[in-house]
Amino acid sequence: PNGDKITIHHLLTHTSGIKDFTKMKTLSSIAQKEMKPEAMINFFKNEPADFSPGEKFDYNNSGYVVLGYIIELVSG
């Protein structure tokens, strides 16, 4: 959600509103699994946003997974 509004700055500053996968009740289904960034993103990408991008700060591990995937795509 809000993929057309979330910027890299939002991801870097924990202001994206993306659902933090570490706070999801279904986390145990993937815990202890080695996963590539794309698979991790697939785990949380359809979760509703917690808030609109830029609305507030909320530490978020999911944003850094997205950033890592962007770096993989851009750097090849």
Side-chain angles (χ1 to χ4, degrees), residues 6-26:
I6 296 171
T7 65
I8 289 175
H9 184 264
H10 289 132
L11 296 171
L12 287 167
T13 59
H14 304 282
T15 59
S16 68
I18 294 173
K19 177 71 69 187
D20 186 347
F21 73 90
T22 64
K23 297 176 184 173
M24 293 172 55
K25 292 180 181 182
T26 55

Side-chain angles (χ1 to χ4, degrees), residues 31-63:
Q32 307 290 323
K33 290 184 181 179
E34 187 173 325
M35 299 175 72
K36 294 186 177 203
E38 186 175 10
M40 286 293 305
I41 291 168
N42 287 335
F43 177 70
F44 61 80
K45 72 180 183 182
N46 294 318
E47 293 294 317
D50 289 336
F51 53 88
S52 297
E55 186 178 294
K56 66 179 188 175
F57 170 89
D58 189 19
Y59 186 86
N60 187 312
N61 294 288
S62 296

